[in-house]
Amino acid sequence: EAQVTQNPRYLITVTGKKLTVTCSQNMNHEYMSWYRQDPGLGLRQIYYSMNVEVTDKGDVPEGYKVSRKEKRNFPLILESPSPNQTSLYFCASSPRLAGEPKQYFGPGTRLTVT
Amino acid sequence: RKEVEQDPGPFNVPEGATVAFNCTYSNSASQSFFWYRQDCRKEPKLLMSVYSSGNEDGRFTAQLNRASQYISLLIRDSKLSDSATYLCAVKGDSWGKFQFGAGTQVVVTP
């Protein structure tokens, strides 16, 4: 089944404790992206990747890191989480950006930082 | 000012009625436009792309007005299952960057 998976789905952690949210897609998509969703603000793009070893900042990259060592995986790293990073996070992938860049989203990771 | 704006609603719609709502964007160089559907904080799912000439997919019609910088979504013959939040998405002129609106909530009532 073609899908984007994220782990963990739910996470409660404390300020400053490094964490990684994994994202994996089995559709051989070149493009992957991370978003956070907060009430009233909609989806905001954190980082994106056009292909392996190619990443770039979205609109809200502060406090996050990413890597793209393999085509299928695009982990999101929070080196020192803070309470303002409490949010619902979505990973997405797309086959290509030329033409119609249709994004497929993972199920989301609900993160709470206390 | 947000780059992509939507009326949050809710739009309360009787079953069988038609509802329409817009999404405005500020970057005139934006290239691609989409409508996504999101149920109860689950993952967004692509509903349809929006083409310059307008396009239909069953009961859904999307329009793009580049001069006034907005896209619209019209739902005909609303079903209870159409109750959801509809997000507009805009791909700007920078490779890989997308902006989403905060969503318009639609509630279809019996």
Side-chain angles (χ1 to χ4, degrees):
Chain A
E1 179 189 356
Q3 60 183 352
V4 180
T5 57
Q6 295 179 227
N7 282 292
R9 295 289 313 281
Y10 302 90
L11 179 60
I12 301 174
T13 190
V14 296
T15 298
K17 185 176 181 181
K18 180 180 178 179
L19 67 92
T20 299
V21 183
T22 64
C23 173
S24 183
Q25 50 94 5
N26 62 0
M27 296 171 279
N28 201 36
H29 287 170
E30 290 84 3
Y31 177 88
M32 297 184 76
S33 184
W34 275 104
Y35 297 88
R36 61 178 288 173
Q37 186 173 36
D38 303 287
L41 296 178
L43 285 163
R44 292 181 293 167
Q45 193 174 36
I46 303 171
Y47 270 96
Y48 63 93
S49 170
M50 303 293 287
N51 213 324
V52 175
E53 302 291 2
V54 182
T55 63
D56 209 343
K57 297 177 181 178
D59 289 330
V60 289
E62 297 78 18
Y64 304 94
K65 287 175 60 177
V66 293
S67 68
R68 188 92 181 273
K69 294 183 170 59
E70 306 167 280
K71 198 172 190 179
R72 64 182 292 127
N73 296 323
F74 190 43
L76 179 70
I77 303 156
L78 285 72
E79 294 270 2
S80 183
S82 62
N84 64 12
Q85 292 179 298
T86 292
S87 188
L88 177 58
Y89 291 86
F90 289 105
C91 178
S93 72
S94 173
R96 59 185 180 277
L97 284 193
E100 296 181 13
K102 299 177 182 178
Q103 294 188 78
Y104 298 83
F105 284 81
T109 295
R110 192 172 295 277
L111 172 65
T112 301
V113 183
T114 62
Chain B
R1 183 185 171 205
K2 294 179 183 176
E3 293 199 39
V4 180
E5 295 200 74
Q6 295 183 251
D7 183 339
F11 285 63
N12 294 297
V13 186
E15 196 174 5
T18 296
V19 61
F21 41 89
N22 295 337
C23 164
T24 59
Y25 61 94
S26 61
N27 183 356
S28 60
S30 297
Q31 297 178 345
S32 305
F33 307 87
F34 309 89
W35 283 105
Y36 283 80
R37 172 195 169 121
Q38 186 176 30
D39 296 290
C40 292
R41 304 281 276 176
K42 293 188 177 179
E43 73 271 23
K45 293 184 178 178
L46 181 67
L47 182 65
M48 58 197 302
S49 303
V50 185
Y51 303 126
S52 297
S53 55
N55 48 297
E56 278 188 19
D57 184 358
R59 298 180 293 106
F60 298 85
T61 300
Q63 299 275 359
L64 166 63
N65 186 317
R66 282 195 183 272
S68 299
Q69 295 184 203
Y70 72 88
I71 62 174
S72 64
L73 182 67
L74 182 145
I75 307 174
R76 284 187 303 278
D77 189 23
S78 297
K79 311 292 185 190
L80 296 176
S81 57
D82 294 333
S83 296
T85 296
Y86 292 84
L87 308 174
C88 64
V90 177
K91 177 180 170 299
D93 53 350
S94 298
W95 281 104
K97 294 196 79 171
F98 287 84
Q99 275 86 34
F100 280 76
T104 294
Q105 186 184 6
V106 172
V107 179
V108 182
T109 55

